[in-house]
Amino acid sequence: MLTYPLDGRGDEPLYRYLYDCIRHDIVAGALAPETKLPSKRAFARNMGVSTITVENAYSQLVAEGYIYSAPQKGFYVADAPKLLEDSHLRMHPIDVGRLPHPEDVRSRFAVEPPPSSDQHLLVDFSSNQTDPDNFPFSTWARLMRRVIAEDRDVLMANSPAGGILELRQAICDHLHEFRGMSVAPEQVIVGAGTEYLYGLLLQLLGRDGVYAVEDPGYSKISKVYEGNGVVCRHIPLDAQGIGIASLAESGADIVHISPSHHYPTGIAMPISRRYELMAWAASSASRYIIEDDYDSEFRLAGRPIPSLQSIDGAGKVIYLNTFTKSLASTIRISYLVLPPALLERFDREMGFYACTVSNFEQCTLARFITQGYFEKHINRMRRHYRMLRDELLASIEASPLASKVTITEEGAGLHFLMRIDTGMPDEVLVRRARAQGVRISCLSDYQHHPDGRGEHVLVVNYSGIPAGSVEEAVACLARACGCPTR
Amino acid sequence: MLTYPLDGRGDEPLYRYLYDCIRHDIVAGALAPETKLPSKRAFARNMGVSTITVENAYSQLVAEGYIYSAPQKGFYVADAPKLLEDSHLRMHPIDVGRLPHPEDVRSRFAVEPPPSSDQHLLVDFSSNQTDPDNFPFSTWARLMRRVIAEDRDVLMANSPAGGILELRQAICDHLHEFRGMSVAPEQVIVGAGTEYLYGLLLQLLGRDGVYAVEDPGYSKISKVYEGNGVVCRHIPLDAQGIGIASLAESGADIVHISPSHHYPTGIAMPISRRYELMAWAASSASRYIIEDDYDSEFRLAGRPIPSLQSIDGAGKVIYLNTFTKSLASTIRISYLVLPPALLERFDREMGFYACTVSNFEQCTLARFITQGYFEKHINRMRRHYRMLRDELLASIEASPLASKVTITEEGAGLHFLMRIDTGMPDEVLVRRARAQGVRISCLSDYQHHPDGRGEHVLVVNYSGIPAGSVEEAVACLARACGCPTR
């Protein structure tokens, strides 16, 4: 009868040891397919263990399919092992004790050196990351605590596909107050970041239509569309924004724009162009405008530019905004406002989706908005960014750069354009700046069809500059541009 | 010269009042296109306000495109209004004061009655929702507090597309310990729920291939695939799981299965079928297996069934698991484990994506796993579910249902099948149960090609049954099935 030495088992549980031994013999072929195993009782007596131990070992082998049980007859070896001979599969039945350690597996992968080992970086003008010191940690933590103490049932209940109604209502109130928009909470669809929502819109609007984006523009938008397999046209901008004639010629059905503050040019689309765009959309049932209002909170002068959505009587505008700009890029909450016809389609075809944002963060954000903290935070950030911008502009003005640059600054937040009077190609400029510890990007990086007009124009994102680094950053930039050092 | 009565302005700021008046006259046509506006100084003197007030009003009108400024000449009305005549657009320039209140907008939408107004619901056997009382709120809240106090820089730094390395490492350690898998953190891709990850996989594997799913199966899987526009085949199961011959005939490239515990049949695929499946995948470069291991933590008897991934020497298995089952359905964290070739493709083509899970929850979960709370939680939940299952089975055994039902229960977690000896069609059964306060679903609901074999079989999900409701729920079920009441 089958026997295994019990002293070989180390500190494994007995049943697990028996299981290992039998499985090993099956895999190695020592126990051939259709071999009858001893009965549980006989095997237990032979091994000097309890019947329950054998039963547990057999059950696990049955569950994994190494043996099978024939009613009234007993246990037999299944005929898996013949497949093991198929060598190109290189099967290796698992054995936790003998597994490679994850560290060893890890060494198989070419791991990128972590950014910290990178060349010294003083300031990153190419990143839209926010300064961590500005996040309202203590308020957020307090609200999260309250939510956990008071909202347990809401936290654990699956929310509708569009998100928790309380948050959607808070977003509506904010849009009414701040953007002059009248929106019902049902129209608001909350999701884990704008890139996710772009994908959701593709599913809602269909993949067969042609999508138009702005050129220059934020390249991730077309990357997401094209990565999802839809046809994407890059429409050139003029001084008022996207050109309507080119748009009409492109055959596009959907146009994705940021009319209040185009990235990276800063253009705010004037009212006349807006009406032309609305007329374009209204002339065909399949046409829609995606209004990407990603940083309207940060217009630093005057009032916010009214949204396209607020003049849309025809139900043609899908409004899109995010808290990743206004709160923190690492809190993934964005939202859509759907016009009625699309809302109906969403509920019918996509209502089965689970909302991608955790209830904990939805509830916390709802309180953050409702209790007035969001408005306070935005006001504080506008003051902060206005000071940062003023300091940066003054510092450029006072530096040797002043005579070599022209700045286009639309009073709108977080970035501006700086044209440099230089013969250096952009890649040389970028490399020289990087050697000085400053990372920059150029307008030409955002052009799908580079036409030369984007050359020698830096896109200066200043939201993440650490306080106190402005002067040094400008000096480094000046050196990179070949200005004499003082 | 242009004049407006100042006493009409209410409590609006002066500049805003001037802006409103001028915009109104432009929109109404009282100020024709190309009309020259008075100079700032003259207008200010005329109105008895400061020049800065006029300047602010003009700036906002310029920013929005109602007027334009000609250098050295002054301000002119832009020619937008002609577009207003295009009546089918029904333009309505916004005016916050006169906006419809969001409540009024809301009434335009047909709002579903909230579930609370629904018929009395005692127990929902059709839902996989977990009982809120089981979530470790206080531990989670404490860890979140610590994270906010100690990890601020990590919380605010954009994570790689696959997630924060600390969490991915914690997941690897967990998989090594619990599933016998040797995986590098770089292979782990964290995302906001499995549905999101299905979509990510479509993008990674391409939309041109044919996708195969199990029939019966979890219908959301094919809904997501089909909603994203790919061809989906429903492959029938036999007693060992998905049929290899049907799979081969289907022309599928990708197969999506749950080999450790199929939903809803509970089948654990035996080792022989696993090898056949691996052989199928290995025979073509474009073939991959998506192993959906959604509830392997909750095998209530014996050890977990080893994953397919752990016997995959050929890099053909994409492992997928979620914390929505093991922690809470409302915390949206799931993950993929990619084989090396796909990882390389992901980094190259999709590395630009932002991770869809907030850093706050990634960091909290990383600590939750690393500090041993996740293992404790799972052990506690297994005990809880085992008791619940035993109580439910005992209660059925003791009820009049006992003589009318056959239960298929694979020692695997959170649901089982119950075949009822009845002539009632499934929809009658469901309606009668609902009238008794019990919501149930039937195996036939999960069949893409209903073949009669799924008739009269209830899928009993017991994870969300409130403690103390078991006996009453069984009595209601018995009445629904036409058993005599005691």
Side-chain angles (χ1 to χ4, degrees), chain B residues 104-182:
Chain B
D104 301 332
V105 177
R106 194 173 170 178
S107 66
R108 284 189 230 151
F109 293 88
V111 181
E112 290 270 318
S116 63
S117 74
D118 206 351
Q119 231 172 340
H120 168 69
L121 186 63
L122 172 72
V123 167
D124 190 349
F125 283 120
S126 74
S127 156
N128 59 6
Q129 197 151 341
T130 48
D131 183 349
D133 290 346
N134 292 318
F135 185 80
F137 281 107
S138 59
T139 306
W140 192 261
R142 194 175 68 246
L143 292 176
M144 179 73 83
R145 249 188 343 260
R146 291 260 178 81
V147 159
I148 290 180
E150 296 163 15
D151 280 353
R152 295 195 171 186
D153 287 348
V154 179
L155 288 179
M156 290 294 120
N158 291 338
S159 81
I164 291 177
L165 211 59
E166 196 186 345
L167 173 60
R168 294 153 86 189
Q169 180 68 62
I171 289 172
C172 289
D173 294 344
H174 168 73
L175 288 175
H176 188 252
E177 204 60 34
F178 200 81
R179 295 300 270 129
M181 290 164 60
S182 274

Side-chain angles (χ1 to χ4, degrees), chain A residues 178-366:
Chain A
F178 199 82
R179 295 299 271 128
M181 290 164 59
S182 275
V183 166
E186 286 75 12
Q187 291 176 271
V188 176
I189 308 293
V190 172
T194 44
E195 295 164 11
Y196 168 75
L197 292 176
Y198 298 162
L200 211 63
L201 281 176
L202 283 184
Q203 214 173 318
L204 186 63
L205 299 169
R207 284 161 206 293
D208 301 329
V210 172
Y211 286 68
V213 297
E214 297 163 312
D215 184 12
Y218 188 56
S219 61
K220 271 198 191 182
I221 297 169
S222 56
K223 261 175 149 171
V224 172
Y225 288 149
E226 284 165 352
N228 278 283
V230 305
V231 177
C232 209
R233 304 265 182 256
H234 298 258
I235 313 292
L237 303 190
D238 60 27
Q240 303 206 319
I242 200 160
I244 303 295
S246 315
L247 178 62
E249 269 168 37
S250 73
D253 303 286
I254 317 289
V255 61
H256 186 130
I257 53 168
S258 41
S260 293
H261 185 220
H262 176 258
Y263 188 85
T265 66
I267 293 172
M269 186 182 281
I271 188 75
S272 54
R273 180 63 57 88
R274 288 171 184 239
Y275 285 149
E276 288 181 67
L277 197 60
M278 297 295 296
W280 169 85
S283 67
S284 160
S286 63
R287 287 185 180 166
Y288 284 99
I289 300 166
I290 300 172
E291 176 179 27
D292 201 334
D293 204 31
Y294 69 103
D295 76 346
S296 59
E297 289 84 1
F298 296 113
R299 199 170 143 72
L300 303 184
R303 300 179 60 252
I305 309 284
S307 66
L308 259 189
Q309 198 276 348
S310 63
I311 59 164
D312 173 27
K316 285 299 193 176
V317 175
I318 298 157
Y319 179 88
L320 189 151
N321 205 339
T322 180
F323 293 96
T324 58
K325 281 273 173 194
S326 50
L327 203 50
S329 55
T330 57
I331 293 186
R332 309 302 303 166
I333 311 185
S334 302
Y335 59 93
L336 299 170
V337 176
L338 295 180
L342 290 180
L343 176 59
E344 195 264 325
R345 194 189 297 172
F346 179 85
D347 286 343
R348 195 178 58 239
E349 293 173 12
M350 296 165 73
F352 72 91
Y353 275 111
C355 180
T356 44
V357 181
S358 139
N359 282 14
F360 287 73
E361 300 211 323
Q362 288 194 62
C363 288
T364 305
L365 179 58

Side-chain angles (χ1 to χ4, degrees), chain A residues 15-16 60 64 90 94 100 129 155-156 158 182 195 207 220 228 271 303 310 313 329-330 354 358 361, chain B residues 15-16 60 64 90 100 129 155-156 158 182 195 207 228 271 303 306 310 313 329-330 352 354 358 361:
Chain A
Y15 92 92
R16 170 78 182 140
Q60 189 70 26
E64 298 182 12
R90 292 184 291 122
I94 70 147
Q129 197 152 341
L155 288 179
M156 290 293 121
N158 291 337
S182 275
E195 295 164 11
R207 284 161 206 293
K220 271 198 191 182
N228 278 283
I271 188 75
R303 300 179 60 252
S310 63
S329 55
T330 57
S358 139
E361 300 211 323
Chain B
Y15 92 92
R16 170 79 182 140
Q60 188 70 25
E64 298 183 14
R90 291 183 292 124
Q129 197 151 341
L155 288 179
M156 290 294 120
N158 291 338
S182 274
E195 295 163 10
R207 284 162 206 292
N228 278 284
I271 188 75
R303 300 178 60 249
S310 64
S329 55
T330 56
F352 72 91
S358 139
E361 300 211 323

Side-chain angles (χ1 to χ4, degrees), chain B residues 269-458:
Chain B
M269 185 181 281
I271 188 75
S272 53
R273 180 64 56 90
R274 289 172 184 237
Y275 284 148
E276 289 181 68
L277 195 62
M278 297 295 297
W280 168 85
S283 67
S284 160
S286 63
R287 288 186 179 165
Y288 283 100
I289 301 166
I290 300 172
E291 177 181 26
D292 202 333
D293 204 30
Y294 69 103
D295 76 345
S296 59
E297 289 82 1
F298 295 114
R299 198 172 144 69
L300 303 183
R303 300 178 60 249
I305 308 282
S307 67
L308 258 188
Q309 198 277 348
S310 64
I311 59 164
D312 173 27
K316 285 300 191 175
V317 175
I318 299 157
Y319 178 89
L320 190 152
N321 204 340
T322 180
F323 292 95
T324 58
K325 282 273 171 191
S326 51
L327 205 50
S329 55
T330 56
I331 293 186
R332 308 302 304 165
I333 312 184
S334 303
Y335 59 94
L336 299 171
V337 176
L338 294 179
L342 290 180
L343 176 60
E344 194 263 326
R345 195 190 297 171
F346 179 85
D347 287 344
R348 194 179 56 238
E349 292 172 13
M350 298 165 72
F352 72 91
Y353 276 110
C355 180
T356 44
V357 182
S358 139
N359 283 14
F360 287 72
E361 300 211 323
Q362 288 194 62
C363 288
T364 305
L365 180 57
R367 289 190 183 213
F368 191 77
I369 300 172
T370 313
Q371 299 181 13
Y373 295 110
F374 185 53
E375 197 186 331
K376 262 188 222 158
H377 177 68
I378 285 181
N379 289 337
R380 202 166 61 84
M381 293 312 295
R382 292 178 77 203
R383 280 194 300 277
H384 170 77
Y385 290 134
R386 208 181 289 128
M387 275 173 57
L388 203 55
R389 177 199 58 173
D390 293 348
E391 191 186 347
L392 184 58
L393 292 177
S395 184
I396 292 171
E397 186 57 39
S399 85
L401 266 181
S403 61
K404 295 194 72 163
V405 303
T406 318
I407 288 174
T408 312
E409 204 274 335
E410 306 281 350
L414 312 198
H415 65 84
F416 57 76
L417 298 185
M418 186 161 83
R419 179 175 295 279
I420 300 174
D421 180 16
T422 178
M424 277 188 261
D426 282 0
E427 60 270 25
V428 175
L429 211 54
V430 167
R431 208 166 47 237
R432 285 177 57 118
R434 190 64 194 82
Q436 296 285 340
V438 178
R439 188 177 283 145
I440 54 172
S441 64
C442 298
L443 185 52
S444 54
D445 299 335
Y446 296 92
Q447 290 186 303
H448 187 75
H449 301 291
D451 59 359
R453 286 187 301 172
E455 288 291 306
H456 315 139
V457 180
L458 303 189

Side-chain angles (χ1 to χ4, degrees), chain A residues 1-249:
Chain A
M1 189 185 290
L2 213 54
T3 309
Y4 299 105
L6 280 184
D7 52 358
R9 76 174 172 109
D11 45 6
E12 267 187 305
L14 258 177
Y15 92 92
R16 170 78 182 140
Y17 174 69
L18 272 189
Y19 158 88
D20 276 346
C21 293
I22 300 169
R23 197 192 55 175
H24 179 267
D25 281 355
I26 293 173
V27 171
L31 283 171
E34 305 307 333
T35 305
K36 188 177 193 302
L37 293 177
S39 78
K40 287 183 272 188
R41 193 170 306 170
F43 193 27
R45 211 177 312 119
N46 183 46
M47 291 285 294
V49 301
S50 74
T51 318
I52 205 102
T53 300
V54 176
E55 188 170 316
N56 285 341
Y58 279 13
S59 298
Q60 189 70 26
L61 290 164
V62 168
E64 298 182 12
Y66 287 98
I67 66 175
Y68 65 94
S69 141
Q72 318 296 335
K73 285 186 171 171
F75 293 88
Y76 293 84
V77 175
D79 60 351
K82 65 175 182 223
L83 283 151
L84 287 173
E85 289 155 21
D86 189 355
S87 67
H88 72 275
L89 286 181
R90 292 184 291 122
M91 299 295 180
H92 40 77
I94 70 147
D95 183 330
V96 174
R98 278 163 243 156
L99 270 178
H101 191 271
E103 276 304 312
D104 301 332
V105 177
R106 192 170 173 180
S107 66
R108 284 190 230 149
F109 294 87
V111 182
E112 289 270 316
S116 62
S117 73
D118 206 353
Q119 232 172 342
H120 168 70
L121 185 64
L122 172 72
V123 167
D124 189 350
F125 284 119
S126 74
S127 157
N128 59 6
Q129 197 152 341
T130 48
D131 185 348
D133 290 345
N134 293 318
F135 185 80
F137 281 107
S138 58
T139 307
W140 192 260
R142 194 175 66 248
L143 293 175
M144 179 72 82
R145 252 192 335 265
R146 291 258 178 81
V147 160
I148 289 180
E150 296 162 16
D151 279 354
R152 294 194 173 189
D153 286 349
V154 178
L155 288 179
M156 290 293 121
N158 291 337
S159 81
I164 291 177
L165 211 59
E166 196 186 343
L167 173 60
R168 294 152 86 188
Q169 180 68 62
I171 289 172
C172 289
D173 294 344
H174 168 73
L175 288 175
H176 188 254
E177 203 59 32
F178 199 82
R179 295 299 271 128
M181 290 164 59
S182 275
V183 166
E186 286 75 12
Q187 291 176 271
V188 176
I189 308 293
V190 172
T194 44
E195 295 164 11
Y196 168 75
L197 292 176
Y198 298 162
L200 211 63
L201 281 176
L202 283 184
Q203 214 173 318
L204 186 63
L205 299 169
R207 284 161 206 293
D208 301 329
V210 172
Y211 286 68
V213 297
E214 297 163 312
D215 184 12
Y218 188 56
S219 61
K220 271 198 191 182
I221 297 169
S222 56
K223 261 175 149 171
V224 172
Y225 288 149
E226 284 165 352
N228 278 283
V230 305
V231 177
C232 209
R233 304 265 182 256
H234 298 258
I235 313 292
L237 303 190
D238 60 27
Q240 303 206 319
I242 200 160
I244 303 295
S246 315
L247 178 62
E249 269 168 37

